[in-house]
Amino acid sequence: EESKQPPLQWALKRAQGMKAEQVISEVFCWSRNPSEIRRIASRKEEIYQELVADTTPTAMPGIVNLLETCRKNEVPVALASSDPEARVLAGLEAAGVRHYFDAIVTAGDCQYSRPDPEPY
């Protein structure tokens, strides 16, 4: 669709956990133009949403138990994700665990993500 070279396997592995904008510019080297980077990242999110439209996120086994234990012991719980806020919040709500988190940091809250420590 974009006439870009498909990323090599090592680049896909390096991109795991990174913000889409960061991957597009720094890992895949598809563009340095901020508006083009945002456009490609937005299109990537649209495609992702189409692919997962019929799925419902669920909490991993043991997570609710862990979150309940943290709550009982007054341990604050935070989540850092390189995904867009709308996707993160929708996933947490669908899985029924949003109310356990005291803080949520998503892609829009930081300039960089993994491996940069900024979200944490």
Side-chain angles (χ1 to χ4, degrees):
E1 175 175 326
E2 292 287 334
S3 301
K4 306 285 187 194
Q5 285 283 26
L8 299 172
Q9 191 64 36
W10 68 266
L12 290 173
K13 187 172 178 106
R14 181 171 175 227
Q16 290 178 345
M18 295 175 80
K19 287 176 57 171
E21 293 87 348
Q22 193 175 350
V23 172
I24 291 163
S25 66
E26 298 174 19
V27 180
F28 296 169
C29 300
W30 284 347
S31 179
R32 292 283 186 198
N33 179 312
S35 62
E36 184 178 14
I37 292 169
R38 281 190 300 275
R39 182 187 60 73
I40 295 170
S42 177
R43 180 64 184 132
K44 177 241 172 219
E45 182 63 20
E46 289 172 6
I47 293 168
Y48 174 84
Q49 291 300 329
E50 290 169 11
L51 291 171
V52 300
D54 295 331
T55 62
T56 302
T58 58
M60 294 172 56
I63 286 295
V64 173
N65 194 17
L66 173 65
L67 293 169
E68 281 290 336
T69 301
C70 289
R71 177 175 275 176
K72 266 190 249 176
N73 291 292
E74 299 180 5
V75 175
V77 178
L79 173 74
S81 175
S82 60
D83 287 336
E85 180 179 32
R87 185 191 314 171
V88 172
L89 295 180
L92 293 173
E93 290 292 339
V97 296
R98 166 64 183 97
H99 63 282
Y100 288 108
F101 293 91
D102 301 295
I104 298 172
V105 177
T106 61
D109 298 317
C110 303
Q111 183 173 354
Y112 297 104
S113 59
R114 192 181 297 170
D116 193 278
E118 182 181 3
Y120 308 102

